[in-house]
Amino acid sequence: QVTGHLDDCTCDVETIDAFNNYKLFPRLNELLESDYFRYYKVNLKKPCPFWNDNSHCGIRDCAVKPCPSDKVPDGIRSGSYKYSEEANSLAEECEEAKRLGAVDGSLSEETQQAVLQWTRHDDSSDSFCEADDIYSPDAEYVDLLLNPERYTGYKGPDAWKIWNSIYEENCFKPHNVKRPLASGRGESFIYLPTWFSSVCVEKRAFYKLISGLHASINIHLSARYLLQDTWSEKKWGPNVTEFQQRFDEVLTRGEGPRRLKNLYFLYLIELRALSKVLPFFERPGFQLYTGNKSQDVEVKNLLLEILRLAKSFPLHFDENSFFAGNKKEAAKLKEEFRLHFKNISKIMDCVGCFKCRLWGKLQTQGLGTALKILFSENLIEKIPESGPSYGFQLTRQEIVALFNAFGRL
């Protein structure tokens, strides 16, 4: 069912598949395994700003593996944990690791110096996302390769509440229409073809981006599902039944294939952002600094190869159709768009499963960064070839999130 032309685009599914599977993805995968892109700093302890709910998922796989403190280099630990004198006992440390839901933060030796550099470059001001305060004692580095996105057993009313609030409160839709959600399955939305065809391209696009993100996350949960959980071993793998319940045309009353097409739409938006941001990374002064000089040069070359490849894609999404009408109306709509998305990034702090929260935060920050790029085209064009880029800036957090979020798609 997922074939042919995509709405609001000049592109089709087959062109994207061929380009991604044979050209782009193998290179991107290699990039994401490098030290610069595998470590993401995140605060998983921020309280939920929307409701008083401290219900954390008690399932083992929701946790992020505790990291023995002798495995964390001093440079990282001194930045991540601000223990007071009396709190420095082993018992406290153990308690802290448990409370964190424990993200595996073990880093290779050569990244110690890099971490010091990163904190100097990181800056949490961001226009589309509620950025983490990465200087908070609660923020710490996570190795994304050791904490893959997969099904953890987190489901039911809590997971349902997250998606419900994202769609209900943050998607442009007519106020008199409620989307009935079955609390057992977090994705049984009613599609509104008459409403959908009557709203402007921006509001349609916003809905499709959120739907595409939802589809992406559901695909990963179905593809890496906990198939066997015994005391001797755990086995993850594809769960076809789970995938069908979310995407099969009959079981979803025609909605499933549309969700998958929204995933392609999201891919096109992020691909477009990568093609636009090339001048920022091309500057000789820009470095992907980890402290390993030869590796840093290699990784930057690979990054530029990926961005040039993204630019060569023949059927890009035309973002000029966004906010192109009456200037005053367009500015108002753009601000609404930005605030809606910022709200969605805040909702990620309400996710009860730490691993799901980690990947939710990373993917919303990645999409927020892509939107920031698309809306900063004039600033990017003015970036000087040498010297600092004051008008347009990306922090290391945003760069890591942008490429890892695209890697998920």
Side-chain angles (χ1 to χ4, degrees):
Q1 294 298 321
V2 185
T3 180
H5 181 72
L6 293 167
D7 296 337
D8 295 326
C9 301
T10 54
C11 195
D12 58 76
V13 166
E14 288 71 19
T15 305
I16 296 174
D17 279 345
F19 174 78
N20 178 70
N21 298 350
Y22 298 111
K23 291 183 176 176
L24 197 133
F25 184 68
R27 291 173 172 92
L28 183 62
N29 226 13
E30 190 187 336
L31 185 80
L32 298 180
E33 286 172 359
S34 70
D35 274 359
Y36 187 89
F37 287 96
R38 67 188 284 185
Y39 299 114
Y40 179 63
K41 198 171 192 185
V42 65
N43 180 358
L44 295 174
K45 287 177 168 177
K46 277 171 94 171
C48 170
F50 297 107
W51 55 81
N52 284 330
D53 184 12
N54 298 320
S55 63
H56 286 156
C57 167
I59 302 164
R60 265 178 320 172
D61 296 305
C62 284
V64 192
K65 298 180 200 83
C67 194
S69 53
D70 59 343
K71 285 271 163 56
V72 183
D74 287 341
I76 290 168
R77 231 179 354 177
S78 60
S80 299
Y81 305 104
K82 306 267 188 291
Y83 290 133
S84 57
E85 294 288 330
E86 67 275 13
N88 218 353
S89 70
L90 194 63
E92 279 286 335
E93 216 162 310
C94 190
E95 194 53 43
E96 178 78 0
K98 269 194 212 142
R99 202 153 57 89
L100 250 181
V103 171
D104 194 330
S106 55
L107 296 174
S108 59
E109 292 294 315
E110 67 266 23
T111 57
Q112 287 184 53
Q113 285 308 309
V115 171
L116 299 173
Q117 287 289 94
W118 291 343
T119 44
R120 282 180 215 139
H121 289 293
D122 281 346
D123 160 27
S124 56
S125 70
D126 183 80
S127 46
F128 279 83
C129 274
E130 185 66 24
D132 272 351
D133 172 13
I134 52 157
Y135 301 114
S136 154
D138 292 334
E140 69 165 6
Y141 285 96
V142 178
D143 184 339
L144 297 172
L145 299 183
L146 294 181
N147 293 282
E149 184 185 19
R150 61 188 178 193
Y151 181 73
T152 61
Y154 176 63
K155 60 181 178 185
D158 287 342
W160 170 79
K161 192 173 175 183
I162 299 289
W163 282 113
N164 196 32
S165 58
I166 286 174
Y167 281 100
E168 276 302 329
E169 294 163 31
N170 292 287
C171 267
F172 299 100
K173 62 179 184 56
H175 293 297
N176 59 344
V177 176
K178 284 281 174 205
R179 280 176 220 279
L181 269 173
S183 61
R185 302 220 62 80
E187 61 288 328
S188 47
F189 298 99
I190 284 183
Y191 196 73
L192 308 164
T194 47
W195 165 73
F196 216 62
S197 56
S198 67
V199 297
C200 65
V201 65
E202 294 86 356
K203 292 184 180 181
R204 275 207 303 273
F206 192 93
Y207 173 83
K208 284 173 11 180
L209 291 176
I210 302 308
S211 168
L213 188 62
H214 194 181
S216 172
I217 290 169
N218 280 338
I219 290 168
H220 292 120
L221 304 188
S222 307
R224 285 183 160 185
Y225 202 87
L226 187 55
L227 299 174
Q228 183 185 332
D229 187 6
T230 61
W231 65 272
S232 58
E233 72 163 331
K234 284 178 180 295
K235 211 167 120 194
W236 273 270
N239 182 333
V240 178
T241 311
E242 190 68 28
F243 181 82
Q244 285 172 327
Q245 282 177 333
R246 296 168 189 269
F247 299 107
D248 178 84
E249 191 182 27
V250 178
L251 294 176
T252 60
R253 301 196 187 112
E255 201 28 27
R258 214 177 259 118
R259 289 174 191 155
L260 293 172
K261 279 198 166 183
N262 290 340
L263 174 70
Y264 281 87
F265 179 77
L266 175 57
Y267 180 95
L268 278 181
I269 291 282
E270 294 197 9
L271 182 71
R272 182 61 165 165
L274 293 184
S275 74
K276 290 276 179 187
V277 81
L278 180 60
F280 176 78
F281 290 104
E282 267 182 333
R283 294 169 306 144
F286 179 84
Q287 278 187 39
L288 295 169
Y289 184 80
T290 68
N292 180 332
K293 226 171 181 173
S294 61
Q295 197 181 61
D296 290 345
V297 171
E298 262 176 56
V299 173
K300 182 175 175 180
N301 287 337
L302 180 59
L303 173 79
L304 292 178
E305 188 189 341
I306 289 165
L307 294 177
R308 287 172 187 139
L309 191 59
K311 199 168 183 172
S312 75
F313 184 71
L315 295 167
H316 270 295
F317 177 79
D318 178 14
E319 76 285 354
N320 293 325
S321 58
F322 273 12
F323 310 112
N326 173 309
K327 275 223 162 80
K328 203 170 169 186
E329 282 298 305
K332 188 179 153 207
L333 187 60
K334 183 175 173 180
E335 182 57 12
E336 220 184 321
F337 203 94
R338 195 179 70 80
L339 293 175
H340 273 311
F341 197 82
K342 209 161 192 168
N343 245 6
I344 287 174
S345 74
K346 286 181 188 170
I347 288 174
M348 292 301 155
D349 286 314
C350 302
V351 176
C353 153
F354 282 116
K355 198 169 275 178
C356 315
R357 184 184 295 197
L358 162 69
W359 285 101
K361 283 168 84 88
L362 181 132
Q363 287 173 84
T364 44
Q365 189 178 21
L367 176 52
T369 305
L371 293 172
K372 173 178 165 175
I373 292 164
L374 291 178
F375 293 134
S376 307
E377 188 173 5
N378 296 341
L379 294 174
I380 295 171
E381 281 170 0
K382 291 179 187 144
I383 291 177
E385 278 193 23
S386 61
S389 153
Y390 293 115
F392 176 81
Q393 198 52 261
L394 289 180
T395 65
R396 181 183 171 274
Q397 287 295 99
E398 289 171 314
I399 294 166
V400 172
L402 175 69
F403 284 90
N404 274 285
F406 189 60
R408 298 280 77 208
L409 303 180

